Amino acid sequence: MTRSGRSGFTLIELMLVVAIIGLLAAIAIPKFANLVVKAKEASVKGKLGSLRSALTIYYSDNEGNFPGADFLASLTIGSKYLDAIPTIGIPTAPDHPPSNGVHQNTPGEWVGNRAWLYLGFNGTGSINVFCTHTDSNGTTWSLW
């Protein structure tokens, strides 16, 4: 018996290919969704790093003194250290609206429109993310 001049895939072969593609998509899609959150977290870390760099430069320019109550004005006036305080949103805590506000001296949960926690009056001059939720790795935001 000879085969006719038609060539193509059988229904079984097509179903097998569709099943394999579906399996690969089921594995890959959750990994890509997690990458978006990690990218947003990396953005927050980058902005935190730029704030800390500006604070360090301010500290060295002012002979070992950190900014006081005028933290925002000290770092942004004349764009010497920063053009503006960076705005962030906490991707793993969507109830936190994007903000660039600075809360000073009191660690704790997000208050109003405050994104950053500045502990300048205690002599450390540290700046952290002002949130006690955890990131995608289980680390508390304020401990970065």
Side-chain angles (χ1 to χ4, degrees):
M1 184 158 146
T2 62
R3 191 168 184 189
S4 65
R6 300 172 131 196
S7 63
F9 297 106
T10 65
L11 182 59
I12 299 293
E13 291 170 333
L14 290 174
M15 289 175 53
L16 184 61
V17 168
V18 168
I20 291 171
I21 290 172
L23 181 64
L24 291 174
I27 292 170
I29 288 174
K31 291 192 183 291
F32 288 126
N34 194 24
L35 288 178
V36 171
V37 170
K38 287 188 180 279
K40 289 179 181 178
E41 289 175 355
S43 171
V44 173
K45 284 184 180 180
K47 291 174 181 179
L48 177 61
S50 66
L51 262 177
R52 286 180 175 163
S53 294
L55 192 60
T56 301
I57 295 168
Y58 178 94
Y59 180 79
S60 64
D61 282 354
N62 291 283
E63 300 174 2
N65 292 313
F66 289 108
D70 61 343
F71 176 81
L72 292 171
S74 298
L75 292 182
T76 59
I77 194 162
S79 298
K80 183 174 182 181
Y81 305 104
L82 289 172
D83 290 332
I85 301 296
T87 299
I88 62 165
I90 309 295
T92 55
D95 55 325
H96 295 313
S99 170
N100 68 344
V102 177
H103 185 76
Q104 297 188 18
N105 294 319
T106 311
E109 191 54 49
W110 189 278
V111 176
N113 65 346
R114 308 280 189 332
W116 306 107
L117 173 64
Y118 173 59
L119 300 173
F121 301 123
N122 65 2
T124 65
S126 66
I127 187 143
N128 296 46
V129 178
F130 190 42
C131 180
T132 57
H133 288 101
T134 56
D135 63 9
S136 61
N137 295 328
T139 305
T140 304
W141 284 88
S142 59
L143 297 179
W144 281 1

